[in-house]
Amino acid sequence: MSEEDEGSRKRAKGPMGVSRRTLFIGAGSTAALLGLGALRYAGHTPLVRPPGGQDEAHLVSACIRCEKCYEACPRGVIVPAHIEDGLLGMRSPALNFDADFCDYCADENGGEPLCVKVCPTEALRLPTGATAENTLLGLAVIDEAQCLAFRDTGCRYCYDACPYEAMELDKDNRPIVLEDKCNGCGACESVCVSLQNGSIAEGATARAIVVHPLDEVEG
């Protein structure tokens, strides 16, 4: 066999060999790090996860980054986590409520979340009896400094959008999150207009109501 043919053969095999080695090394390293509690020490940022992804260690270790959950989400709110969110969780599924919210696939497949159904490794898995109401994705938190309603504008978009009656209005007609009813679906965040309508908070990059991961608000 000529040197040119031998080089071509090695190049043809190379990507597959590297890919396989990388897969095994990456999976083994992730499992080892998780076993040592590395999520706490690897710069891992808490994220709002899709239904069934609330066991963070299980999700990060079992997810193979196949992107099936992104493709299955009818509202397009599942996005890949970025490297700045933490190396171990990079490209694992997270929720983004910029344009829509998670309705637990209420109109599809009898209300079973499609992301859970299509996950091939059960990285997203729900316990028996799980419902939209008792699956806590996160907690909505209002930044009163940015909220238009706290500047006497009468804004109540978030209150009107909440599908679970997890918000109420105070005596001044300002929205309040009822923490014991909020499941973090993101409906309130998706309709908040604070950034485009009169936000005066210098350098504001987030809306006046944002769903935070439970680990973040409880910690």
Side-chain angles (χ1 to χ4, degrees), residues 29-44:
S29 299
T30 298
L33 286 169
L34 289 170
L36 294 172
L39 283 177
R40 294 186 178 185
Y41 306 108
H44 184 76

Side-chain angles (χ1 to χ4, degrees), residues 11 17 26 40 90 92 96 103 107-108 129 156 161-162 164 179:
R11 285 193 296 272
R40 294 186 178 185
M90 185 173 62
S92 59
N96 180 288
D103 69 347
D107 297 327
E108 292 83 12
R156 48 180 280 174
C162 180
Y164 299 107
E179 295 185 7

